[in-house]
Amino acid sequence: MRHLIQPRVQAIQLSGIRQFFNLVAGRPGLVSLTIGQPDFPTPEHVKAAAQEAIAADFTTYTANAGLIELREAACQFVADKYGLRYTPDEVIATIGASQALDITFRTILEEGTEVLLPAPVYPGYEPLIRLCGAKPVYIDTRPNGFRLSAELIAPYITDRTRCLVLPYPSNPTGTTLPGETLEEIAALMKGRPIWIVSDEIYSELVYRGRHRSIAEWLPKQTIVINGLSKSHSMTGWRIGFVFAPSFVIEQMVKVHQYSVSCTSSISQKAAIEALTAGKHDAEAMRAAYAERLEYAYNRLTAMGLPVEKPDGAFYLFPSIAAFGMPSFDFALDVVEKAGVALVPGSAFSEYGEGHVRLSYAYSLDVLKEGLDRLERYIDKKAASAR
């Protein structure tokens, strides 16, 4: 019966992040620095709002696009934080940012269209694009410090280009795009029949300056993806948002309706609390991540691992090119000989090869132990090479 399964589904794979995590999971004594999961609990007042909703039997369907109070709160949040202006009919509450991406691509992509992706890049985009019959086109950002630019984009634009994805702050590199770069990209794209899908899930985790969205310059061509997983440590609550002009939201909500009907009513009530009373909840987490970033960055550079210093998110992407090993082999060797897990750079497209990703969404104690082990491994490698 295998031949009756949709070929595009058979062709996609589990993400390289999960593949490696599953491969090494369960090893005794392993220090894992792999997953982008905040180690903070969901704020107490947010949990209390959900408990109140349960006690009040708020367990029914909501409007497909989400509670009007939630959409109003989401609009106010991005207005206050990033200067973006949306109305409730220009936002959908989704099952996390992942579902927001899914309904976006299914609404705007067609067979044979192309999506520009800055690489190395989060592996969750390509499968969604291919399931739509579209083609991912990777743009190598390594020569520009992992930052996309208008100059890098221009040669890749064709009459088949339907969409450009801007995933900043970036997973896996932690880089962001400054306002002048976004303005240049907006000028390049303005008036072209190309959507900008701006994945801003890490927008509250920016360490230098404030987060900027290309929607400031190109609101009518931009679809903004965001959510509460990283900003409020609400990964399991599955609350995301898609912001876009109302004419495309009207079409997206049909895809959303027939796939999930609506987001969890309890999670929506918790999200209202997070976006209003918890508007600044990310600040304490951001300060802790900034401290961890400094510690981990200094440790890696002291080990002789070249690494771009991130501007946001909670990842470091050091080069391991000096070891002359494929990133998967290197990461597996570190697991087996040092007892610490990192994600192979190859999980983030071929342009991530020669790197590994380290998540510092872990306590300083865990980071210290993991980096101590990594340092001992590297010292042994250097000694054996002499």
Side-chain angles (χ1 to χ4, degrees):
M1 300 294 284
R2 183 180 294 274
H3 66 287
L4 299 180
I5 298 174
Q6 221 271 21
R8 287 179 188 155
V9 175
Q10 293 192 64
I12 63 175
Q13 305 291 325
L14 286 175
S15 82
I17 302 172
R18 282 290 172 181
Q19 285 184 40
F20 193 79
F21 178 81
N22 293 341
L23 178 67
V24 303
R27 297 201 180 204
L30 182 71
V31 175
S32 178
L33 303 178
T34 56
I35 300 298
Q37 166 70 54
D39 70 331
F40 298 94
T42 300
E44 291 298 324
H45 67 102
V46 175
K47 292 189 286 188
Q51 291 165 350
E52 290 170 10
I54 293 170
D57 291 324
F58 192 76
T59 55
T60 60
Y61 293 119
T62 70
N64 296 129
L67 295 166
I68 184 66
E69 301 94 329
L70 175 56
R71 287 179 282 143
E72 288 172 343
C75 292
Q76 190 62 54
F77 185 89
V78 296
D80 292 345
K81 294 281 187 173
Y82 318 124
L84 303 181
R85 304 297 171 186
Y86 292 99
T87 58
D89 64 343
E90 295 176 312
V91 58
I92 301 172
T94 59
I95 310 293
S98 297
Q99 197 237 343
L101 287 165
D102 181 42
I103 64 172
T104 295
F105 288 141
R106 286 201 281 160
T107 300
I108 67 173
L109 298 182
E110 296 177 72
E111 190 80 28
T113 54
E114 296 178 348
V115 178
L116 305 183
L117 293 167
V121 69
Y122 171 65
Y125 303 115
E126 179 174 339
L128 297 178
I129 293 164
R130 291 199 181 279
L131 285 171
C132 294
K135 177 185 176 182
V137 176
Y138 290 103
I139 301 173
D140 185 2
T141 65
R142 292 173 299 178
N144 197 38
F146 299 121
R147 288 173 176 83
L148 197 62
S149 67
E151 185 178 7
L152 286 175
I153 295 167
Y156 290 89
I157 297 174
T158 72
D159 58 3
R160 295 181 299 278
T161 305
R162 177 63 57 85
C163 171
L164 165 69
V165 176
L166 291 183
Y168 294 98
S170 164
N171 174 7
T173 67
T175 54
T176 62
L177 297 185
E180 56 267 27
T181 299
L182 291 169
E183 190 170 9
E184 290 168 0
I185 293 172
L188 174 67
M189 292 297 180
K190 188 174 183 179
R192 297 178 186 266
I194 299 172
W195 285 105
I196 313 295
V197 174
S198 188
D199 185 349
E200 303 177 20
I201 191 66
Y202 294 98
S203 60
E204 282 295 276
L205 302 181
V206 172
Y207 306 114
R208 286 174 278 187
R210 70 177 182 89
H211 172 71
R212 305 292 294 274
S213 171
I214 198 169
E216 288 184 45
W217 292 273
L218 210 59
K220 299 303 181 185
Q221 280 178 245
T222 301
I223 298 168
V224 174
I225 308 295
N226 214 317
L228 301 181
S229 290
K230 315 300 182 179
S231 62
H232 290 76
S233 194
M234 293 177 67
T235 52
W237 297 80
R238 309 312 301 136
I239 287 288
F241 300 101
V242 54
F243 300 87
S246 58
F247 71 89
V248 70
I249 289 291
E250 288 174 4
Q251 304 306 315
M252 280 189 198
V253 79
K254 293 187 289 189
V255 182
H256 174 74
Q257 172 190 349
Y258 290 117
S259 61
V260 299
S261 184
C262 64
T263 302
S264 157
S265 59
I266 303 303
S267 292
Q268 289 190 57
K269 284 291 191 179
I272 293 169
E273 176 71 11
L275 291 169
T276 54
K279 181 180 294 186
H280 304 297
D281 281 350
E283 291 180 2
M285 290 184 274
R286 183 169 60 241
Y289 292 138
E291 181 183 3
R292 298 172 190 182
L293 165 59
E294 291 299 323
Y295 175 77
Y297 175 79
N298 290 335
R299 289 292 306 272
L300 290 173
T301 53
M303 293 177 207
L305 295 179
V307 60
E308 292 280 340
K309 191 170 187 178
D311 306 303
F314 36 56
Y315 307 108
L316 286 151
F317 203 57
S319 171
I320 56 161
F323 296 94
M325 300 170 65
S327 61
F328 187 92
D329 294 348
F330 177 89
L332 191 58
D333 199 48
V334 172
V335 167
E336 293 174 344
K337 295 178 180 176
V340 59
L342 309 169
V343 179
S346 56
F348 304 97
S349 83
E350 64 182 285
Y351 300 100
E353 187 54 85
H355 294 78
V356 289
R357 192 193 75 176
L358 179 153
S359 170
Y360 53 90
Y362 296 88
S363 70
L364 282 171
D365 287 343
V366 172
L367 283 172
K368 182 179 185 304
E369 179 60 28
L371 289 166
D372 284 348
R373 295 183 184 191
L374 180 62
E375 184 173 23
R376 289 194 292 269
Y377 172 87
I378 289 172
D379 287 345
K380 288 180 181 177
K381 277 279 187 185
S384 65
R386 288 196 289 267

